[in-house]
Amino acid sequence: TCAPGVFKGMVSYEYVRNLAERLHPQGRLVMGNSTPIRWCWLAPYLDGMGFEIDWNKKAGWKPASDEQMLFHRALCGGKPFGYLMNTDLGTFSNAKMEKYMMRAVAYGLFPSVFSKTTSGYHYFQTPKLYNRDRALFKKFIPICKAISEAGWQPVNRLMSVEDPDIYLEQFGRADGKCYVTVFNNATEAKTVRLRLKKSAKVPSSELVARENVKWNGGEAAITIPAETLRVFAF
C-alpha cells in the first residue's frame, strides 16, 4: 500500500536504549533474551545476551555453524553470552552435552540447559540429569569464565594453524594473561601443527586435556579428537 510504518525492531531498539540509559547510572545491568539474532542493534545497550537453541532436533546433532557462532561472539564483543539448550532431554546424552559444551566454550559462550517445552521436565529440576553431567559443568564453566573475563579478541595474534577444520580464537591481550581456544570441527581426529606468532610466548598450560605439549621452535604437533576443544593458557 506504500503506507509508511515503523519497523518493530526500531521500537525494541528505543525501548532497550531507554532501559540502559536509566539503569546503567544506577550501577545496574541489562540482560536481553533472543539477542543477538536478527535484531543486532540491541547489543550495544545490553550487558548480557543469549537465547534458546536446539542442536538435538529429532535426536540428531546439528550444531550452529562457525559463521553463526562468530556472529554472536562478535556482536557481544567482550560481554557475556549464554546458550540455553531447549531440547528433548531424553535423547540429549552426556556425550552430546560434552560436545555442546566444548563447541560453545571454544567461542567463550556459556552453555546451559532448560527443557523442551519450558513448562516441564526442566533440566535443573531433574537430579538424574544434572548429576550425570555435574563433572562437565565443573570442568568447562570455570574455563569459560576465565577466557570470557579475559575478553575475546577479533584478531588472533598468538597462534596459527593451516588446517581449515581447526578453529582458533584468542581471549585476552598478548601483554597479559591470555588464552587460545583450539577446536577441531571435523568428524574425525586430526593431528595438526600449531605455530606461535612472534608476539606469543610458549603457553604455560593446556586446560582441557591437561596434556604436556612439547613446543620446539614455536611449533607443536597435537592430535585432537573430533569436535573436541583444547585451551592454551599464556
Side-chain angles (χ1 to χ4, degrees):
T1 63
C2 297
V6 178
F7 174 50
K8 61 183 178 181
M10 295 294 98
V11 177
S12 294
Y13 167 78
E14 292 187 353
Y15 179 77
V16 169
R17 180 180 63 185
N18 183 267
L19 279 176
E21 289 174 347
R22 292 183 181 196
L23 294 174
H24 284 161
Q26 301 176 32
R28 299 187 178 189
L29 303 176
V30 186
M31 181 266 184
N33 190 18
S34 299
T35 306
I37 308 179
R38 290 174 297 172
W39 297 0
C40 56
W41 45 86
L42 306 185
Y45 296 102
L46 295 171
D47 304 293
M49 287 161 271
F51 52 81
E52 295 87 346
I53 57 173
D54 186 357
W55 294 352
N56 182 53
K57 291 180 179 178
K58 297 182 180 179
W61 178 246
K62 190 175 181 181
S65 68
D66 179 52
E67 289 80 7
Q68 290 173 307
M69 298 186 78
L70 280 177
F71 175 77
H72 305 151
R73 179 70 278 167
L75 284 182
C76 291
K79 300 175 182 179
F81 175 95
Y83 283 130
L84 270 182
M85 186 65 70
N86 283 15
T87 192
D88 178 6
L89 298 177
T91 63
F92 198 65
S93 64
N94 177 264
K96 285 183 177 178
M97 178 68 79
E98 185 174 28
K99 290 205 297 185
Y100 162 48
M101 286 193 170
M102 287 196 286
R103 186 176 291 268
V105 174
Y107 299 84
L109 308 176
F110 285 91
S112 194
V113 193
F114 192 18
S115 75
K116 175 68 174 177
T117 63
T118 73
S119 61
Y121 196 36
H122 297 163
Y123 179 85
F124 283 108
Q125 293 178 353
T126 311
K128 70 176 182 180
L129 293 179
Y130 65 70
N131 282 326
R132 178 198 69 183
D133 302 328
R134 182 182 295 273
L136 295 177
F137 279 93
K138 293 180 72 173
K139 178 177 183 177
F140 288 108
I141 297 304
I143 294 174
C144 194
K145 181 175 184 291
I147 66 175
S148 180
E149 289 178 345
W152 176 74
Q153 302 298 311
V155 178
N156 186 339
R157 303 185 185 279
L158 297 177
M159 192 180 293
S160 65
V161 67
E162 294 182 355
D163 193 318
D165 287 325
I166 306 299
Y167 301 157
L168 306 179
E169 296 297 330
Q170 177 181 329
F171 297 82
R173 299 187 181 276
D175 57 355
K177 190 169 185 179
C178 51
Y179 306 85
V180 170
T181 60
V182 181
F183 183 75
N184 178 12
N185 188 53
T187 55
E188 68 277 341
K190 292 260 187 172
T191 298
V192 296
R193 184 164 293 279
L194 303 173
R195 294 181 174 87
L196 299 179
K197 297 184 178 181
K198 291 182 179 180
S199 59
K201 298 179 181 179
V202 173
S204 60
S205 60
E206 194 286 310
L207 305 180
V208 177
R210 300 191 179 278
E211 297 174 315
N212 184 18
V213 178
K214 295 181 179 180
W215 296 85
N216 184 15
E219 296 187 2
I222 65 171
T223 299
I224 309 176
E227 295 188 75
T228 294
L229 173 68
R230 297 289 181 261
V231 179
F232 290 94
F234 293 79

